[in-house]
Amino acid sequence: MQNIINKCAGALLLTLAAGAAQATATPQWCTEGKPVKFAGVTWESAQFFTEIANFIVANGYGCKTESVTGSTAVTETALVSNDLQVWVEQWDRTNVIKKGRSDGKIELVGNILAGGTREGWFVPDYVVNGDPKRGIKAVAPGLKSVADLPKYKDLFSDDEDPAKGRFLNCPAGWDCERINNQKFKAYKLAASYTNFRPGTGGALDATISSAYERGKPILFYYWSPAGLMGKYKFVQLQEPEFTEKCWKTVQNSTTDDVCGTGTPSFKLTIGVSTPFIKGAPDIIAFFSKLSVPADIVNHAITEMGERKVGGSVLAKEFLQKNKALWTQWVPADVAQKVETKL
């Protein structure tokens, strides 16, 4: 009888040991000598998210990692063909990604931005509510929605056409520029506003920052996650309630038969190639749990700009300051390995 008990106990210990070994094992993808290649995207929020994921994959799971740079079209095509394995902060808007998903070559996992994205038309908070600390009085306390804009065209006067107000759109060629063009039609603003496109994203930010620092009125499109959202206080103008029917007309840049609608909140995900999913399911489990509140992301992006540092610096600082959050994403042994590298 004692022999049977001893054998059972021994078998249990072996099972537990095997389970522990499995928990701490490097994923098969990495033990086979394959590096995990991340898309080297350029915008700040994606850099921040990518560096968080990269640090944990490299130091917690023991994988070699690389960054693959290139245009959006090139790197998305590389993801679909498994020439790179991970694209952090996927918006799922391009035909390359949609086809890759339908063909079963990639999947989108997780929900990395808690609460989802935010897009719309904004004015500085002091325009509507004033700012006693800066001695700024509210100049448009009745401005609530895009329907009110014609009444305030003189407030947002266009320097080049003073008879109209100026709406600051995205740079030409951006997806948001095309959508805002359609909204501009839907809200019938052509008679009262100029639809102005800055030359670059940097010019967009600089124009908004300049107006805000001087306490001047400005009407503009913006989004979250983004640095200025963490630096300044804006008021989003109300738009018609979102409907799928109207959204299709807003997305269709070739039609003039357009109806207004707010932009839906998008879930930001991590794009991963199908072969990598099969070779590293434990990393995919981590990706599915990675999620950071928008205020933390916006603050990090602001810090990147003001301190002139890269996403890797802010990602490491995030991991150092938010242990209670990120340790929920990974097993305890992985968390311990990451901590030793911080």
Side-chain angles (χ1 to χ4, degrees):
M1 184 68 173
Q2 186 62 42
N3 288 338
I4 295 175
I5 293 174
N6 290 339
K7 289 180 180 179
C8 290
L12 177 59
L13 288 173
L14 288 172
T15 300
L16 292 174
Q22 185 177 9
T24 58
T26 300
Q28 178 185 349
W29 178 277
C30 304
T31 58
E32 293 177 352
K34 301 175 183 176
V36 182
K37 297 181 181 180
F38 287 80
V41 288
T42 57
W43 59 92
E44 289 92 342
S45 58
Q47 290 179 29
F48 175 65
F49 281 124
T50 300
E51 293 297 341
I52 290 174
N54 193 331
F55 192 94
I56 292 176
V57 169
N59 296 292
Y61 291 94
C63 299
K64 180 182 177 181
T65 62
E66 297 179 6
S67 178
V68 178
T69 59
S71 67
T72 296
V74 168
T75 46
E76 285 186 337
T77 300
L79 177 67
V80 172
S81 63
N82 192 39
D83 289 325
L84 64 85
Q85 288 71 51
V86 184
W87 178 310
V88 185
E89 198 182 299
Q90 254 299 330
W91 288 67
D92 191 23
R93 285 186 172 179
T94 69
N95 291 332
V96 174
I97 293 298
K98 293 182 184 300
K99 188 174 189 305
R101 292 179 66 194
S102 65
D103 291 346
K105 294 184 177 181
I106 62 170
E107 289 187 21
L108 304 181
V109 300
N111 183 13
I112 64 174
L113 183 69
T117 62
R118 180 184 175 197
E119 296 178 74
W121 294 15
F122 294 84
V123 297
D125 179 77
Y126 55 74
V127 169
V128 178
N129 299 310
D131 186 348
K133 291 183 179 180
R134 299 174 65 190
I136 302 174
K137 294 183 178 180
V139 290
L143 177 57
K144 305 296 181 184
S145 77
V146 292
D148 300 323
L149 285 175
K151 296 184 294 185
Y152 293 95
K153 66 182 182 68
D154 294 337
L155 181 64
F156 303 108
S157 179
D158 185 344
D159 292 340
E160 298 176 10
D161 187 358
K164 291 184 177 183
R166 172 177 286 190
F167 166 63
L168 186 62
N169 199 338
C170 295
W174 286 24
D175 188 58
C176 49
E177 184 249 351
R178 175 178 56 81
I179 288 173
N180 286 328
N181 291 344
Q182 289 297 90
K183 288 188 175 185
F184 200 80
K185 294 179 189 175
Y187 302 146
K188 297 178 171 54
L189 293 174
S192 52
Y193 280 82
T194 299
N195 184 4
F196 184 84
R197 291 87 160 174
T200 64
L204 172 66
D205 283 4
T207 302
I208 296 169
S209 295
S210 176
Y212 198 99
E213 295 295 339
R214 292 179 294 123
K216 299 297 183 181
I218 185 171
L219 168 67
F220 57 95
Y221 162 86
Y222 217 66
W223 68 93
S224 177
L228 296 191
M229 285 292 197
K231 186 175 183 179
Y232 300 131
K233 191 175 181 181
F234 301 140
V235 170
Q236 184 171 358
L237 300 183
Q238 298 171 6
E239 296 183 68
E241 185 176 354
F242 171 79
T243 65
E244 190 65 42
K245 177 182 177 182
C246 287
W247 182 244
K248 288 180 180 179
T249 69
V250 168
Q251 287 187 304
N252 183 0
S253 60
T254 63
T255 181
D256 291 326
D257 185 17
V258 57
C259 51
T261 174
T263 301
S265 177
F266 289 92
K267 182 174 76 170
L268 298 186
T269 61
I270 300 177
V272 285
S273 68
T274 300
F276 183 67
I277 293 172
K278 296 176 181 178
D282 37 5
I283 294 179
I284 302 304
F286 151 52
F287 286 166
S288 69
K289 296 177 182 178
L290 195 164
S291 186
V292 183
D295 59 341
I296 292 179
V297 179
N298 289 334
H299 177 73
I301 299 169
T302 301
E303 288 286 294
M304 289 171 66
E306 292 184 346
R307 291 164 52 189
K308 308 300 182 186
V309 295
S312 60
V313 174
L314 272 298
K316 191 170 183 179
E317 290 180 4
F318 163 81
L319 292 171
Q320 291 169 335
K321 296 175 182 177
N322 296 275
K323 178 182 175 181
L325 175 60
W326 68 262
T327 52
Q328 299 176 44
W329 307 338
V330 295
D333 61 308
V334 173
Q336 186 175 12
K337 292 176 184 177
V338 172
E339 282 193 84
T340 61
K341 297 293 184 178
L342 292 174

